[in-house]
Amino acid sequence: MDRKRRYEELLNNMNQYNSGSKGITRVAFTNEEQACSHAFMRLCKNEGLEIRMDYAGNIIAKREGKHKKLPPVVIGSHLDTVYQGGKYDGVVGVTAGLEVIKRLNEQKIETDHPIEIISFACEESSRFGVSTVGSKAMAGTLQKEKYQQLKDKDGIAFEKALSLCALRFDQLDLASRSQERFKAFFELHIEQGPILINNNKKIGIVTGIAAPVRLIIEVKGAASHSGTTPMNMRKDALLGASEIALALEAAAKQEQHHGTVATIGVLSIPMGAMNVVPGIVEMKVDIRSTSIVSRNKVLDALSKKLDDVKERRGLEIISQEISKEDPVHLSEELSLQVEKICQDKSLPYQWMQSGAGHDAMNMTSLGPVSLIFIPSLNGISHHPDEHTDLDDILTGIDVLEAVVLQQAVDLSS
């Protein structure tokens, strides 16, 4: 079987684990995600890798090197998806790691350093509003006290979701590898944007990753009959939330020259009905930028608007910050190695930043990190129409294989 067909079968194998009829739904800590994870573990075992799942649900598959005590070269990404997502986000990076191992095995190449593939748990924020949980736990930076009371759209608590996967909330800290050091960490990922496609580039060399602040805002007014409550006597939580949403958009547009963006991805009205003035609205807010100063300006504008709406409309507004991360700068040395490989292979490439967060950003405390992008058709991601050409994925794997070998083989020995 040729490499292209082999990889296509591998990708399709992973994407058969799907709970939805539209796109791919393989949400963190669900039966589908766990089944996919265990299937991946079996495939890794078939390649002779040592397999373990840590206390956060991360899968770690290790190919030993000549020298077991040398720090590992690591390839990582995630298998979970958003609701009704695409077939490529995350899963390409994990399967690319396995394809690299398959190539090394078929060529009988023994590396000096061990090589690990990591499939990180709960990278996507779609279920609980918090992202990159597994990689934070591995880096030893997980602030788990913020997570315990979080619930998904079905009312299932984060702690309960873990227990259903035979994981314990009180043991998440045991996943930390903060006392270890990686030789290098690589993540191959679809761009999720239009830059590479628009510029006819095959590889994106990422220099930095924007970091989000995520908030849950609860707006409380007074539920009342829509037909009997005069307009001037209403405490309409939805109208207050609408003002907040528009003000957030305006604040982000003021900072768009920094690449700063803001999104209200969830807005819910508990017990809402057509003939009831909304009494409670919950909003989930995502603000991100590679500039902390710019991001803070948007946060400040949001805070002022909350105070304004609260005062004018007589509403109660509670804002809870559930995560806050700093922008991350990636390894220049590894980026230059990737650039040289692209030049040697005559591949058009581009230096760029990532507006989306990735597990790679949490690995910078464990060693040098490189994030490599491949094109996304029309820049679409987190959507059933997400698409990356198979040939573009294989090109990315070629680059990944080359740079992993450079790091895993000790030329001085």
Side-chain angles (χ1 to χ4, degrees):
M1 184 186 302
D2 63 28
R3 287 178 172 180
K4 183 174 183 178
R5 184 180 167 195
R6 177 176 71 191
Y7 178 77
E8 185 176 26
E9 286 191 3
L10 173 59
L11 186 64
N12 290 339
N13 189 340
M14 294 296 95
N15 281 326
Q16 70 179 308
Y17 299 96
N18 174 26
S19 66
S21 58
K22 185 177 182 181
I24 303 292
T25 299
R26 190 168 54 242
V27 181
F29 304 127
T30 59
N31 291 337
E32 293 75 23
E33 185 261 353
Q34 290 292 292
C36 184
S37 295
H38 283 86
F40 182 72
M41 292 171 75
R42 289 191 295 273
L43 292 172
C44 289
K45 188 174 183 179
N46 291 343
E47 293 299 322
L49 305 185
E50 297 176 8
I51 315 295
R52 68 184 179 93
M53 179 180 284
D54 71 12
Y55 288 91
N58 299 313
I59 299 166
I60 303 161
K62 185 175 183 179
R63 185 183 194 260
E64 282 293 1
K66 295 177 186 177
H67 309 293
K68 293 185 178 181
K69 293 185 178 180
L70 288 178
V73 176
V74 183
I75 306 165
S77 199
H78 61 99
L79 291 171
D80 68 312
T81 72
V82 299
Y83 294 100
Q84 295 187 348
K87 298 192 298 183
Y88 304 90
D89 176 7
V91 67
V92 162
V94 176
T95 51
L98 183 53
E99 173 60 23
V100 168
I101 296 299
K102 287 176 178 286
R103 293 181 181 188
L104 297 183
N105 286 349
E106 69 184 4
Q107 297 172 79
K108 296 181 171 54
I109 294 175
E110 186 178 11
T111 58
D112 296 290
H113 290 258
I115 298 175
E116 290 183 6
I117 309 170
I118 301 177
S119 174
F120 291 106
C122 196
E123 193 272 352
E124 300 289 2
S125 63
S126 51
R127 185 171 184 188
F128 294 104
V130 289
S131 63
T132 63
V133 172
S135 54
K136 285 189 181 82
M138 186 174 289
T141 60
L142 187 71
Q143 297 176 302
K144 66 180 184 181
E145 65 278 359
K146 292 185 176 182
Y147 296 2
Q148 191 164 16
Q149 302 305 318
L150 295 177
K151 294 183 179 181
D152 67 10
K153 62 184 179 65
D154 297 316
I156 299 173
F158 183 82
E159 185 172 10
K160 178 65 174 179
L162 288 177
S163 71
L164 292 173
C165 299
L167 298 168
R168 286 174 49 180
F169 184 84
D170 62 351
Q171 293 181 331
L172 284 173
D173 296 334
L174 298 178
S176 174
R177 298 174 70 177
S178 60
Q179 301 304 309
E180 297 183 39
R181 187 73 180 168
F182 294 165
K183 174 74 185 303
F185 177 91
F186 297 98
E187 182 168 7
L188 181 70
H189 206 283
I190 63 171
E191 182 198 344
Q192 301 179 278
I195 295 174
L196 294 178
I197 283 284
N198 289 349
N199 294 340
N200 294 316
K201 306 296 185 183
K202 291 297 182 183
I203 296 293
I205 303 172
V206 181
T207 59
I209 302 174
V213 171
R214 291 195 169 101
L215 312 166
I216 295 178
I217 299 174
E218 189 175 58
V219 183
K220 293 183 177 180
S224 58
H225 196 292
S226 66
T228 61
T229 310
M231 295 300 293
N232 64 340
M233 297 179 65
R234 297 184 179 201
K235 292 187 177 181
D236 190 321
L238 178 59
L239 293 181
S242 300
E243 280 198 49
I244 293 166
L246 291 171
L248 182 64
E249 178 193 35
K253 283 185 173 180
Q254 287 292 317
E255 295 297 316
Q256 61 186 336
H257 56 287
H258 289 292
T260 303
V261 294
T263 306
I264 296 176
V266 175
L267 189 148
S268 60
I269 306 173
M271 306 300 291
M274 184 180 292
N275 61 344
V276 176
V277 175
I280 298 177
V281 171
E282 184 180 271
M283 313 164 74
K284 293 185 178 179
V285 181
D286 177 298
I287 306 168
R288 62 180 76 195
S289 179
T290 53
S291 166
I292 294 179
V293 172
S294 176
R295 188 180 69 184
N296 285 345
K297 286 182 179 179
V298 176
L299 275 170
D300 289 344
L302 175 62
S303 179
K304 290 177 181 177
K305 192 63 180 181
L306 295 184
D307 290 339
D308 171 55
V309 170
K310 178 179 179 180
E311 179 69 23
R312 281 190 299 101
R313 290 186 173 271
L315 303 172
E316 181 183 356
I317 300 178
I318 301 169
S319 178
Q320 176 191 2
E321 181 184 289
I322 57 174
S323 67
K324 187 176 186 178
E325 295 151 17
D326 292 333
V328 171
H329 299 287
L330 304 183
S331 168
E332 183 178 1
E333 179 182 352
L334 292 183
S335 293
L336 289 171
Q337 288 186 13
V338 173
E339 180 183 49
K340 181 63 165 56
I341 290 166
C342 290
Q343 291 170 344
D344 291 345
K345 293 180 177 292
S346 298
L347 294 173
Y349 65 92
Q350 178 165 343
W351 294 77
M352 60 193 303
Q353 293 189 336
S354 173
H358 297 281
D359 289 306
M361 65 190 184
N362 296 317
M363 294 295 98
T364 54
S365 63
L366 302 182
V369 170
S370 174
L371 176 59
I372 302 168
F373 279 167
I374 51 178
S376 296
L377 183 64
N378 299 323
I380 296 172
S381 186
H382 285 184
H383 188 276
D385 291 343
E386 175 182 279
H387 181 78
T388 293
D389 287 344
L390 190 58
D391 287 338
D392 286 338
I393 299 175
L394 293 172
T395 296
I397 295 174
D398 290 344
V399 173
L400 179 66
E401 178 189 10
V403 73
V404 164
L405 269 177
Q406 286 185 12
Q407 289 294 312
V409 175
D410 187 355
L411 298 177
S412 65
S413 62

